Each structure stands twice: as C-alpha cells, then as structure tokens.
Amino acid sequence: MAKMPREPDSLSHHRAKCPEDRFLTKRTEWLQGPFRLVLIIIYFSYLRHTLAHPQCLDYQPPFKPPYHLEFCRHYEKFGCCDQKADNSIAMRYWDIMDLIGDEAYAVCGDLVKDIMCQECSPYAAHLFDAEDPYTPVRHLPGLCFAYCSEFHSKCHSVVKYLTNSRTLLETCEKDRSHFCNLINLADQDYCYPNVLRNNDMYSNLGKVVEDTRGCLQLCLTEVANGLRNPVLMVHSGDDTHRMFVAEQIGFVWVYLKDGSRLEQPFLDISGEVLTTQWLGDERGFLGLAFHLKYRNNGRFFIYYSILINGKLEKIRISEMKVSAHDMNVADPYSERVLLEIEEPAANHNGGQLLFGLDGYLYIFTGDGGKAGDPFGKYGNSQNRSALLGKVLRIDVDGSSIDGKPYKIPPDNPFLGEPDAKPEVYAYGVRNMWRCSVDRGDPLTGYGRGRIFCGDVGQNRYEEVDIIVKGGNYGWRAKEGFECFDMKLCQNSSLDDILPIFAYGHHVGKSVTGGYVYRGCESPNLNGLYIFGDFMSGRLMALEEDKKSGSWKEKSVCMGDTKTCSFPGLINHHHKFIISFAEDEAGELYFLATSYPSAMSPFGTLYKFMDPSRRAPPGKCKNKSLPVKVRGKKVPFTPRELTVLGINETPTRSPLEKILLPTKPPNIRQPTRAKPTTSAPKKKILGKTTIAKLSQEKLKKTTQAKEKQINTSTKTLKKAPPSKKSLLPTKKDKQATGKPSHNPKPSIKGAPEKKKTKPFKPTKPKDVTKPKIWLQKTKKQVKKPIKSKPKVTVSKKNQDNSKKTKKYPFHKKEKTV
C-alpha cells in the first residue's frame, strides 16, 4: 500500500528523509482525488481505533489544572494545559492578531483561538498525530472538513502564521479541498470540533477506565527485577526517597530515586535466616521497619526465622543500626534481640513490623501453624497469654524494670490482667500477611492512622481487617463472616470484630494485604484500599462509604492495549503477589514473582499508574536529600515488554514556534493586548530578566534597521509601546455579553514572555510573491513595498539562534 502523506516539517534535513513533501510531484499525482482519500481512511482507521484515547503531547494522561485558565477556558476543568501553557498559547495568539490587523481579527479571531487551544484538549495527541512517539507532530490539529472549509474561506491568509509546512502553504493557496483533506482526520469522532460533541468520550473523561464488567483498568511500570522472592519494600522516612527491598533469603537492597540499585546490600543476614528452596516455604526474612526518627538515630527493626541447635524454630525481632561510615549499609555488629517466640510449625509465621502514629512498634504474629490452630483448648489466637496469633505493641525507646529491652505502652488494653501478656494489643488473628498504616486524606486527613491487614484464611474465606485496640478478630471461632469452630462461635463472650471485607476461595486462596492510596500522581485512586491474592494473582480494591462505614469491592484489572498505550507502561504482571509497598511520596507498588521459591530470581517490583488522569505538572515533585554513594550503582534494565514497545518516555521538542516576520519601522501597533493572567506583584524568578533582555535585543535590531532604511534622517520618532489590555474574543462576547477576559490575581506569577528571534532572510526556492506589509498611518496607506526590508542580525544573535534550533523526531518503525 502506498505511504500515507503526512504533514511535513519545515526543516530541510527532515524533508530529505520523509516522503511527505514529494506527494505533490508528478510521480504521485495519481494519489490525488477519491482514490487517495480511500487510502487515507484505510490507513488511519487502522491506527486510530487502536490508539485513540485521552493523551497529551508529552505522552502522558490529561489532568485538572490547579488554577483556572484565562485563555483556553474550555479546557480548565480537564485537559492538557496548566496556567503556564495557557499563557504561552495566549502570547502566541496575540502576536498573530497584531500582525493580521483589526479587520481580519474580527473575522478570524475566534477560529484561530479554537485551533490553537487544541494543544489543551485531552485528545491533543490524537489531534496532532502525536500518539506515536517516533512521528513528527502536526503543525495544525486535525480539523473536520466542514470546519476547515469555513476557516479557509475566511482566514486562509492566516495559515502562514500557524505553520511553516511548505506543503500546507502551497495547497492552502491553490486548493481549499486539498488543504482540508490534508489536515482532516479519518476518524470523524476525533477531528475538531466533532471531538467536543462525542458524549461517549466526554461522559467519563478523567475517571478510571472500567471495562464492561466494571473492572478498574490500571497500568503498571516495571521498577525493579531479578529479585529472589521479594517479601517487602519500605522507605526509611528520612527524605532521601530511597526504597529498601528485602529478599526472603535475608538480603536487603537499596534502590535510589533514579531507579538504580546499589551494588552492596544494605543488610545481609542470609547466614542467620532460616529458609529453604521448597516451593511456598513461609520461613525467612519477613519484616523490616525503620524508626520514625531514623534520620536522627539510624535505628531499624527486623523480623526473621531462625533455627536453634538444628531443632527449635523461632521468630526473632531485633533492633539494628545503620553504619556510622556509610548511610547505605547497616552495621552488622549492632543487632540487639528484642524478642524471640517459639514456632511449633513451619507455616503461619506472620512477619509484619510497622510503626503506628503513636510511635510504638506493632508486631504481627501467626497462630503457630498447622491447620485449625490446634494448640490448647481454644488455640493460640484466642489465648491472650500466648504471643502467637496476636498484634503486639511495644515501646522500643526504653527498657522495662524486669529487664526486657523494651517497655510496655501504658495504654495497652490488657496491661495488668493476669491471664494476658502485656504486649498484646489485639488477638484472634490467624496469619496476617501484610499490614499498613493509612496516611489519611491529603486534604482533610480523614482515615489517618488506621491500620489495615489482610488475614489469610483456612479453607473457605480470606479477609481484610482494620485493627483496633483490644479487638478480637474471631479466629479460630470464625473464618471471615462464618463460623469455623461451632462451640467457640456460639460462645456469647466472643464479642469479635467482623472484617470489613471477605471473599471466598473461588476468588483466591491467600490474601496479600495492601495500602490505602494517598499518593499524588494518580488522583482518581485516592482513598481506595488496593490489595491482592497471592495464589490467584488477582488485584482488588475496596472503596469506603463514609456515611455507612461499609466497604464496597471494586475489581482491578490490567488495562487493554488502547488504555495503556503510553511509553513505558505494561499491562501484565507475574502471578504470585507477595507484598504491596508504598514509597516516601505515597505512590503504590506491589511485588510479585513467577515462581515462589526463596532462591528463584524472578521477583519484580511494579508501580501502579492510572492512565485516565494524572496530577498537574509540577505538583508531585519532591525534593529529596542527597544520598552519598560510596560503592557502585547498578542501573535498572527493564525486562517486561511494554505496550508501545518502548520503556522510556521519549523527549520531544515542543510545537515549533513560527518565526514571525519583523515589522518595518513606524508601524502603528494594534491596541489588542497579550493576556495578563497573573498578578503583577508575584513574579516568576528569572523570567522578568529574560523578558527585559529580549526587549533590549529587539530594540537594538529595530534601531539598526531604521538607520539602514532612513539614511538621510538622523533621528526617527518611535511609536511608544502601547499598553495592551486583554480583549475578549468575539465568541466570549456572544456568550456573556460582557468581556470575560478580566485579569484575575494568581499565585503563579507573571506570564513568561517569549524570546523574539531575529528574522534571517533566505532566498526562496520557488518564485512566489513576496510578503507585503502595509504601513499604517492615521488615514493613509502607503503602497506595498516589493522588496523585503534588510535586517541586520548581530553575530551574537546568529549564534544563539543556531544553538536553540531544535529538531523533531524522525519517523521510525515501532518495536514490537
């Protein structure tokens, strides 16, 4: 099939490699007409239906701007422009309006504004053919044929200010139909303005994409791989944004913010940890928690399985410290054992450690193993004098009178009771695997401090609980919401706390507790408790009804190819979900493997990403403290196949800035203004200086031209720069009856002024009419000047213009 002509770039080196400019030659004249249109439709229909989804020109999802937009206000609720981008478009727009004059402005002002504001559309990438990261961006968005025809009939003279494309400029002058066919889109649902009228696309715009079954479609990014049964990932809370990933065999690795891993492990106690190569063995390195004041005291705590004298199995909770010489290495001689608990069986070892907001260390133990908690009359879990099957709480910032290396918090619920251990905070749990502390809503703080846990069931139900002081969670009397031990279950003194959610073994057979999402990058996920199942590999979410206090299940599935068509995203993961994690910024991850053995290096760390909406640019930037690295760093090498076949977001230069011709001297400036969308009191650092330098350079260039053109005149009166006030467009006046572009105070500061580039005249390749500029006076119009005015360009400006020239991507084939 013949290659579909695309809108070419104005740069000659790119033209030589792309066949777009040659489609008007004699060899390809046969492509014109109906047959060419058929090929266009076939070609684009193949691409559009697979890639058409909300996406910005930077290859990322749209967002809700943090502040209102003064210019492209149609997209201030959801789109691809923040206030800075909106200001930039407005500045370019008013530059063009200054050139075309009042009469053309009255006719074309609204049309040109609508076209330029498509950069802010949530479907901007589709309108500009930017969904393919290896393809040059269109100069003009895809316009529907009827709209384009109206624009051409009224404003075809303005096209030269919107694009440098030779093909578009030539066809614009010769053939309206041909011109509009070039910038049209085959998929009429997405061309402008049809894209605004498509209710199917805009009805759920910005919400999490759901499939026909109501399953939330999320995507993933691969963060780390090659891990041996990664059982946890935690951060140190010291503003370094490091991630510490622990392997079951006893290694803890440091991952830096740039994605690299330090070659030397943070901790290696593989010689002490009890673990085997058996498939599904639950023993090993199981827990890690950093002290809330780790940045100052360097203390952290670990939980692992040990074997004493080759016979007795125990779990050990110890305190350790970071090395005094290297912030990325633990001191191997600093271990201080806090607590050891004998394990009667190899399974149900618990393993979670975490610090609550109260500053105390919470320890989650299993019921001792085997089936049905057969230890004693009521089992370990219901026996408050046993430490197994419990949530324990201790104060690690001191020692007790009886010689224990920790203290008992004074408000522990069973303190002083003769038949209960003072460390017990809650009981009746079977084998809680992975618990987390809710950070709380970023704005209201709602939910802050709640502790969520996934409790693995026996043979019927898996459950999720919220831990409260003194709570009895029912095991072994109950499993989920149902009775397990009928005698215990019917005991009126049970007074157990029911789970917030339970699911049967037709869904999964081993719950893995997760986190309530409180991050910044995916606003739609805020408040969702996301967790999974180890055996089935299923991801799930719970949404809270704040009025009733109940929780509703929402299934989570991987997005399809269309939904996850962003650079670096994948839509698959390993089956066995071992653990969930949260980084220092609150973003959510999970760890999974394809073969659950402590020695198999197939563990991978994934990060969740919502492809339907992101946070505004700049909102989620976190300043991290420097990390002093003494050893080598191992760069991250992804292994998973991404949806688009690329792992990193390519860097594309912004839409090319059209070089506007420099005006001859003594031309009266129109009185329209560039928008002042920000309060003048608050200025953006550095931008005022740049704007002044740009004005000074422009002033020098104008003076040089005046000297050349008016050699007989010693001095020329220069028109004073007019103070421009933001004028309403024709469409705004019709809608409200009043000017709507009143400047409003903003905390973003003054808008950035564009740096004017000197115009360097070049010899035209084709014989065309020179551009004519009319010199305006009060009531007289001078005759057109046939020759272009000479422009003096300083050597310094020539060097700067060469340095700032940017080239778009060359079209390449996509990798599979």
Side-chain angles (χ1 to χ4, degrees), residues 208-339:
V208 181
V209 178
E210 297 185 15
D211 62 12
T212 55
R213 301 168 297 173
C215 189
L216 304 180
Q217 293 194 38
L218 300 180
C219 307
L220 306 172
T221 55
E222 182 186 6
V223 179
N225 52 41
L227 295 162
R228 294 162 292 189
N229 249 32
V231 292
L232 61 89
M233 185 199 91
V234 293
H235 63 84
S236 51
D238 58 356
D239 295 327
T240 61
H241 289 265
R242 292 175 292 173
M243 297 187 295
F244 295 79
V245 180
E247 295 176 318
Q248 188 176 357
I249 59 175
F251 284 87
V252 178
W253 302 96
V254 178
Y255 285 83
L256 302 179
K257 194 174 181 180
D258 62 3
S260 62
R261 175 179 65 82
L262 299 189
E263 188 176 47
Q264 184 179 2
F266 175 76
L267 179 65
D268 175 11
I269 57 170
S270 55
E272 298 290 330
V273 173
L274 169 62
T275 188
T276 69
Q277 296 184 4
W278 300 347
L279 193 67
D281 193 338
E282 299 176 19
R283 298 168 296 182
F285 189 94
L286 302 175
L288 170 66
F290 289 88
H291 195 281
L292 295 181
K293 297 181 180 179
Y294 174 78
R295 180 174 175 179
N296 299 320
N297 58 32
R299 300 165 64 195
F300 64 94
F301 301 84
I302 55 177
Y303 182 127
Y304 60 98
S305 304
I306 60 172
L307 182 65
I308 298 179
N309 299 326
K311 296 180 180 180
L312 184 62
E313 294 184 14
K314 289 185 177 183
I315 54 172
R316 174 182 288 171
I317 295 94
S318 297
E319 175 189 327
M320 295 190 72
K321 290 186 177 181
V322 69
S323 170
H325 308 289
D326 191 342
M327 65 184 300
N328 297 306
V329 176
D331 182 354
Y333 305 106
S334 64
E335 182 174 8
R336 183 171 69 109
V337 178
L338 300 181
L339 185 64

Side-chain angles (χ1 to χ4, degrees), residues 659-662 694 697-698 701-702 705 755-761 791-802 804:
L659 296 177
L660 301 176
T662 307
S694 177
K697 288 185 179 179
L698 181 61
T701 305
T702 305
K705 288 189 298 179
K755 191 174 181 179
T756 307
K757 297 181 181 179
F759 176 72
K760 184 177 180 180
V791 180
T792 303
V793 182
S794 65
K795 185 176 181 182
K796 184 178 180 181
N797 289 343
Q798 287 180 347
D799 295 338
N800 292 337
S801 63
K802 290 180 182 179
T804 58

